[in-house]
Every structure is written in structure tokens, then in C-alpha cells.
Amino acid sequence: GTYGVPAISDVSMENLTEPINSCYSSQCTYVAWSTRDANHQQKISVSKNAQVIFFWTGDNSVYLAPSQDAFEQCSFGNAHRLSGVLDDARKYYTFHTGFQDRTYYLMSGKTNAYSPSSCELGLKTSVEVGESSSDSARRSQGNFVLVVLIVVGFIAGVMMLVCIVYSCRKNRIAAKTTGVNKRLSHRIQLKRRESKNGTHLQSSPTMQLPDGWQLHFTSRGKAYYWHSATRTSQWEHPGSSIRQTR
């Protein structure tokens, strides 16, 4: 625990036997109240769910002031007494801070035989309850886990979007290829029907040519037919037109 700084001259370690044994929380802070030492702790900061143990040697009791103004003015009009008769007899009181972030204003409620009161002589302490280092570490760890989850979720969303776009593009390409194949198959079937019906007669360049016709080839290797008498040329085999007219 943390003892009153500086040490109280009229309080010895023997006086601390019972207060030390009364500490059972994760953190205990000891505050020594003595009218002989005006420099004792009047403001302390502790973590949540801590114990603040006030001890004294004179005639004192512990009150909770309703506000900071009442604390500063040592006004007991609406103050709430915390210590009981047994606490006053044992000359120490254990205050539990709880889990709220707030400031408690504690002051000595009894007066000495001589004026002014013990509170006016400095027997009062404000207890500020805040976040402990362990709480801060847990909160930081929780924030880190949250950030990691957000990043992982973002990456998963991007990957899902990429997969959807790729799948859609792949489907469009497959549909386009299927359409081309269908049109090509349809054309082949039409040509086969035309060949069977005699409406379209395929001719080979090696087919026997009628008199006056010659076979020639273009620079790209495509066959065409030249008629020397009329000095005309055509792509179709002259034999095709002859067979159709027959």
C-alpha cells in the first residue's frame, strides 16, 4: 500500500497492524490522518475497485461530502457518515471505491477538544477513481483486436468482390463463346442443306475446265478463272454454272 507522505510522527508500525490485515483488494492505499502533520495526503488517485484505508490516533470519524464546495468549506450539512462506532473505536476505516469514474470527498467529522475542527485542520482527502494500468492494457488490447477484425473483414470483402467480378466476366465470355459456336453451327447446317438441295454446288479448282478457261491464282493463293476469248475473270468455277444450267 501507499502510506501517508511524509510519515506521521505519532503513528508507528504497531498502529498499522489491523489496517494492514484489513487489505484484501487488488490495491490498497493507506492515508494517515493526523492534526500534527498538515502535509498528509489530501488528494489521491486510485484505480477502480480499490481500497482506501484511513487511520488515525485521535478522536475522528469519516464523512462523505456531497460536493467539492462542501469538502473545501468543511460543511457537514448534507454529508453522509461512513464510519461506524466500531470503526471509530478501532481508529481506522476502509473505503471501497467501486467501479465508477468519479471523485469522492472524504473528511473527518468529529472535532478535537480545541477549535477549529479536524477537517479545518486538514483531515480531509479527495479520492479520484480512474482507470488502472491493467484496465488500460485490456482496453488497448480490445481496441487492437477490433482493428484487426475490421481489417480482416475489409480484406475478405474485397476478395469476395473480386471473385464476383471475375465470375461475372467469365460467364459473359462463356456466353459469348456459346453464341458464336451456335451461329457457326447454324451456318454449317444451312450450307449442308443447300448442298443437299442442289442450290449451292461446291466446286474444286482441279475440276475439269471448259474450253477457253484457265486457272490462275492471286498473290495470296486464291484461285480464279480467266476466259481468254472474252478476256473476263471470275471466282466461281465455270463448270458450276454449266452444271446448274443443265
Side-chain angles (χ1 to χ4, degrees):
T2 303
Y3 296 90
V5 179
I8 306 304
S9 57
D10 61 342
V11 177
S12 63
M13 288 301 297
E14 286 76 13
N15 299 118
L16 298 178
T17 302
E18 288 191 6
I20 289 180
N21 294 335
S22 67
C23 179
Y24 57 86
S25 178
S26 58
Q27 178 183 357
C28 291
T29 301
Y30 292 84
V31 178
W33 274 353
S34 173
T35 57
R36 297 185 181 182
D37 193 339
N39 295 323
H40 75 277
Q41 290 171 302
Q42 292 191 357
K43 181 178 181 180
I44 60 174
S45 298
V46 296
S47 63
K48 299 176 182 178
N49 194 30
Q51 286 180 274
V52 181
I53 302 176
F54 297 89
F55 62 97
W56 55 86
T57 58
D59 184 17
N60 299 300
S61 59
V62 182
Y63 276 75
L64 177 63
S67 64
Q68 183 177 359
D69 292 338
F71 173 78
E72 293 176 353
Q73 298 173 11
C74 292
S75 175
F76 291 88
N78 295 318
H80 175 66
R81 180 169 178 172
L82 299 178
S83 61
V85 177
L86 180 60
D87 299 319
D88 296 345
R90 293 185 303 186
K91 300 185 181 303
Y92 72 87
Y93 172 75
T94 302
F95 176 71
H96 300 272
T97 60
F99 295 92
Q100 296 182 352
D101 291 333
R102 57 168 295 183
T103 300
Y104 297 92
Y105 300 100
L106 305 176
M107 51 190 182
S108 176
K110 289 186 178 180
T111 60
N112 295 324
Y114 303 99
S115 184
S117 68
S118 299
C119 178
E120 293 175 347
L121 291 176
L123 298 191
K124 57 182 178 180
T125 303
S126 63
V127 181
E128 182 179 355
V129 181
E131 190 175 53
S132 64
S133 57
S134 59
D135 293 335
S136 179
R138 284 192 294 268
R139 182 167 57 85
S140 300
Q141 184 178 6
N143 293 337
F144 175 75
V145 172
L146 180 61
V147 171
V148 171
L149 291 177
I150 292 175
V151 172
V152 171
F154 176 77
I155 294 176
V158 172
M159 293 179 64
M160 184 177 296
L161 181 61
V162 170
C163 291
I164 292 174
V165 173
Y166 175 77
S167 178
C168 293
R169 184 178 180 183
K170 186 177 181 181
N171 292 337
R172 286 198 299 269
I173 294 175
K176 186 175 181 180
T177 304
T178 302
V180 171
N181 292 337
K182 286 183 178 180
R183 289 192 296 271
L184 182 60
S185 176
H186 181 67
R187 290 179 182 177
I188 293 174
Q189 291 177 3
L190 288 178
K191 288 185 178 181
R192 288 178 179 175
R193 291 173 186 171
E194 291 174 355
S195 298
K196 290 180 180 180
N197 296 332
T199 58
H200 182 73
L201 184 63
Q202 295 289 341
S203 300
S204 172
T206 59
M207 185 184 299
Q208 184 178 0
L209 294 172
D211 295 338
W213 288 92
Q214 298 177 357
L215 173 65
H216 295 274
F217 293 91
T218 65
S219 58
R220 294 187 177 183
K222 185 175 181 180
Y224 70 94
Y225 304 92
W226 169 259
H227 191 260
S228 58
T230 59
R231 302 186 64 83
T232 59
S233 62
Q234 64 182 41
W235 297 111
E236 295 80 8
H237 194 288
S240 299
S241 58
I242 296 175
R243 290 189 179 186
Q244 290 181 8
T245 55
R246 289 179 183 176

